[in-house]
Amino acid sequence: SQTIHQWPATLVQPVGSPLSLECTVEGTSNPNLYWYRQAAGRGLQLLFYSVGIGQISSEVPQNLSASRPQDRQFILSSKKLLLSDSGFYLCAWSGGRSTDTQYFGPGTRLTVL
Amino acid sequence: SQQGEEDPQALSIQEGENATMNCSYKTSINNLQWYRQNSGRGLVHLILIRSNEREKHSGRLRVTLDTSKKSSSLLITASRAADTASYFCATENVSGGSYIPTFGRGTSLIVHP
């Protein structure tokens, strides 16, 4: 069966510090991978998605970047965090077809102070 | 870009009552999906309804789709305290040949025991 892992679960970082969040998927190959951010009490904002290794599409301009160094690994990074980067970050995967379900990881709660 | 929009934003009911949430979208779709999110957790897929379907059931869940009005509703019958969660609809956008799910802001449901 497929599983998706995210770490860390929670993170408190000072403004201006770097960020690296990791997401890995097991039990499937060539998944579509997604990074979302969810502000408190709000909906999901799609940040990045990837349909293959090294293929990253950005949905919103920001100081975040994403990379997919391996088929089932998706990394969200920042060189310098802003206060506005605080939020709940969710990684998800799907098969890429319109009828495919998205499977979400447990999320990372990021607080930038 | 935001495709689906749920309403109401918040819903508070007593256990045993029915809960109805609505989702409106802007462009034509092939299917629409509903997800549930418990507080501080990832989203979990509930049900998918295709554009050629008008109604679908899964346990205590009933989903309807009206493509002429570009709207969908999720009905939870005989609600339980454990149904307390946020509910999101998701429609797909096609980007570069891939189907990219787009989520609304969600409806926060509280079921009082």
Side-chain angles (χ1 to χ4, degrees):
Chain A
S1 64
Q2 302 93 355
T3 55
I4 178 168
H5 304 278
Q6 273 187 257
W7 65 92
T10 59
L11 192 59
V12 180
Q13 292 284 101
V15 169
S17 64
L19 172 74
S20 181
L21 302 181
E22 190 161 346
C23 171
T24 59
V25 180
E26 296 176 358
T28 187
S29 60
N30 196 31
N32 277 17
L33 295 170
Y34 310 84
W35 277 112
Y36 292 90
R37 177 170 59 201
Q38 186 176 32
R42 303 292 296 277
L44 276 72
Q45 179 186 34
L46 178 63
L47 301 175
F48 301 95
Y49 68 92
S50 171
V51 300
I53 296 175
Q55 300 178 61
I56 309 294
S57 296
S58 174
E59 288 294 296
V60 292
Q62 65 232 313
N63 68 322
L64 300 172
S65 62
S67 62
R68 184 171 178 174
Q70 300 180 48
D71 181 44
R72 290 169 288 180
Q73 183 185 29
F74 206 22
I75 298 172
L76 183 69
S77 304
S78 174
K79 292 182 179 178
K80 288 186 177 181
L81 284 168
L82 306 173
L83 287 174
S84 58
D85 291 325
S86 293
F88 190 51
Y89 288 81
L90 287 161
C91 180
W93 75 271
S94 76
R97 299 171 302 178
S98 68
T99 53
D100 285 338
T101 297
Q102 273 197 315
Y103 297 93
F104 285 80
T108 295
R109 176 77 57 193
L110 172 65
T111 303
V112 182
L113 302 175
Chain B
S1 60
Q2 209 83 36
Q3 166 74 305
E5 289 292 341
E6 297 90 345
D7 86 275
Q9 289 187 17
L11 184 59
S12 180
I13 60 174
Q14 294 295 128
E15 207 166 31
E17 295 179 341
N18 295 343
T20 300
M21 289 156 271
N22 303 296
C23 170
S24 59
Y25 56 92
K26 297 175 183 176
T27 61
S28 296
I29 59 172
N30 292 319
N31 62 68
L32 184 144
Q33 304 192 45
W34 283 91
Y35 288 78
R36 165 196 169 124
Q37 183 185 30
N38 286 0
S39 180
R41 309 291 293 275
L43 279 70
V44 175
H45 182 259
L46 294 176
I47 197 166
L48 177 150
I49 186 165
R50 299 174 191 269
S51 59
N52 61 355
E53 298 176 310
R54 291 297 167 259
E55 188 171 311
K56 202 162 183 179
H57 297 254
S58 177
R60 292 184 295 111
L61 304 180
R62 174 181 163 236
V63 169
T64 62
L65 180 64
D66 187 336
T67 53
S68 66
K69 295 181 180 178
K70 291 187 170 60
S71 68
S72 173
S73 67
L74 170 66
L75 168 67
I76 304 174
T77 60
S79 64
R80 306 167 182 169
D83 294 328
T84 293
S86 292
Y87 293 83
F88 296 87
C89 67
T91 55
E92 85 282 7
N93 291 320
V94 178
S95 177
S98 292
Y99 291 91
I100 309 300
T102 304
F103 290 83
R105 300 183 193 279
T107 292
S108 175
L109 173 66
I110 297 176
V111 182
H112 299 280

